[in-house]
Amino acid sequence: MTRDKWHDACFETRAIHAGQDPDPTTGAVITPIYQTSTFVQEAVGVHKGYEYARTDNPTRTALQMALASLEGGAWSLAYASGLAATQNLFYLLAPGDHVLLSDDAYGGTYRLVARVIGRYGIDFGLVDMSDLDAVRAAIRPTTKLVWVETPTNPYLKVVDIRGVVDLLADHPARLVVDNTFASPYLQQPLAHGADFVLHSTTKYLGGHSDVVGGAVIGNNPEVFETLKFHQNAAGAVPSPFDCWLTLRGIKTLAVRMDRHSANARAVAGFLQQHEAVERVFYPGLPDHPGYEVAARQMRDFSGMVSFTTRSGYEAAAEVVGRTKVFQLAESLGGVESLIEHPGRMTHASVAGTGAEVEETLVRLSVGIEHEADLIADLRQALNAAVALAVPAD
Ligand SMILES: *Cc1c(COP(=O)(O)O)cnc(C)c1O
């Protein structure tokens, strides 16, 4: 938890250097993969800060220092997945406590709350976090965690982080912001007053669709001790290789996010013009209801775009089945563009909860390929959907 010497450097520089000094024993410029489960002790209890690799591993330490630096936090803890990180935050709760969650929270977060921790006497409520009056009404005296995602998935709603912080000013509940869709380059929730940032590093931070991981970042030293205890006690830690892959991804985060955002802006503009498209959801469009809040709390609008097709499920299925550059797959945040049908794929598990998505909804994770290829690919797929909608004579 010592302050990194790169503290005063710019984001792009910290992404490459914070926590990532050359290896002290060999001078290796890149952080080594410390593929070891244990560490030798000179005498009982005399060691170099590492004993057993579930507790701590130097490659993980480097990743944690980098993530803390990028989010502007005092500390960070890394986990085997975003959901393992989420579960670790839930270890702060006790029976009788209440969690307030976005009504379109990540499906896995919802499933963990509703079907796992709910069995241990923890209560939860769902609310549209972009409506601050609704949030105020939904907070209970027993609420201990308020769980915000912004932008949300898959409708890209924008939540005013500072607005929720102000609502909680006289309430003991802690605010978690799942910052996966924005990444620390575009949005830094701790600076807006959030207590914790949660990441699925699987997405933009890793950035190359080749590793699953998660992290929590915060400032409060006492909570750090509690979470650190549970990180070790429950054991859902990332492997040294996974930490190394994530660090490798982080080095290029800034340049990738600039391109993801530029491409998504172009794609959203194109979709708005196409006759097969009904509505486009992208916080960077000035007519998006969250545009002003997003412009205030984000550096740019990231790479996620959703839209509905005009003519039913068939048209949506046609589009997701016809793109070639956009590959049909779940997940997001990699350099390659992905397309999916939330109703039948990522959000199938929310069926029956009241948080269902429209069956004409298509979600894009816009990658960093050339914008012209992305638009041409969507155009040919959407044109096929239009042809489908025209009844044969
Ligand atoms: C993917 C994701 C998660 C879960 O992370 P995993 O690494 O898949 O466990 C949580 N929140 C959001 C917004 C996500 O996209």
Side-chain angles (χ1 to χ4, degrees), residues 81-83 106 109 149 153 178 180-181 200 202-203 212-213 332:
S81 69
L83 283 175
Y106 176 71
T109 307
E149 240 176 83
N153 177 20
D178 182 335
T180 301
F181 270 39
S200 169
T202 315
K203 316 295 169 49
V212 171
L332 61 112

Side-chain angles (χ1 to χ4, degrees), residues 186-206:
L186 299 183
Q187 174 172 281
Q188 293 171 3
L190 299 179
H192 297 293
D195 295 289
F196 305 110
V197 173
L198 183 291
H199 274 289
S200 169
T201 57
T202 315
K203 316 295 169 49
Y204 286 111
L205 281 161

Side-chain angles (χ1 to χ4, degrees), residues 34-239:
Y34 283 92
Q35 192 67 41
T36 184
S37 62
T38 191
F39 300 83
V40 74
Q41 308 199 4
E42 286 159 41
V44 178
V46 181
H47 53 74
K48 296 180 162 65
Y50 296 94
E51 293 161 88
Y52 181 62
R54 170 163 30 73
T55 315
D56 274 309
N57 174 287
T59 317
R60 195 200 315 161
T61 304
L63 172 61
Q64 291 178 162
M65 287 179 74
L67 288 169
S69 172
L70 296 187
E71 284 289 1
W75 51 261
S76 149
L77 291 163
Y79 299 88
S81 69
L83 283 175
T86 302
Q87 182 188 32
N88 228 250
L89 279 173
F90 290 150
Y91 288 141
L92 297 173
L93 303 172
D97 288 348
H98 176 254
V99 181
L100 192 59
L101 202 65
S102 298
D103 61 358
D104 57 355
Y106 176 71
T109 307
Y110 173 79
R111 182 175 56 203
L112 185 60
V113 169
R115 297 186 48 196
V116 182
I117 68 156
R119 302 206 314 266
Y120 297 86
I122 290 155
D123 215 356
F124 72 95
L126 301 178
V127 68
D128 176 354
M129 294 273 179
S130 63
D131 177 351
L132 290 178
D133 291 331
V135 178
R136 186 182 293 108
I139 294 170
R140 298 186 192 169
T142 53
T143 305
K144 290 288 162 59
L145 277 184
V146 174
W147 199 279
V148 161
E149 240 176 83
T150 184
T152 69
N153 177 20
Y155 283 110
L156 288 315
K157 283 195 285 196
V158 175
V159 180
D160 181 350
I161 299 170
R162 174 67 67 179
V164 179
V165 166
D166 290 345
L167 275 184
L168 294 175
D170 298 320
H171 195 287
R174 293 198 168 102
L175 175 62
V176 184
V177 175
D178 182 335
N179 203 25
T180 301
F181 270 39
S183 90
Y185 179 63
L186 299 183
Q187 174 172 281
Q188 293 171 3
L190 299 179
H192 297 293
D195 295 289
F196 305 110
V197 173
L198 183 291
H199 274 289
S200 169
T201 57
T202 315
K203 316 295 169 49
Y204 286 111
L205 281 161
H208 296 74
S209 305
D210 53 10
V211 61
V212 171
V216 178
I217 302 101
N219 278 315
N220 181 320
E222 282 145 44
V223 184
F224 170 78
E225 293 305 331
T226 308
L227 289 172
K228 172 71 198 153
F229 168 78
H230 284 102
Q231 181 197 38
N232 180 53
V237 294
S239 76

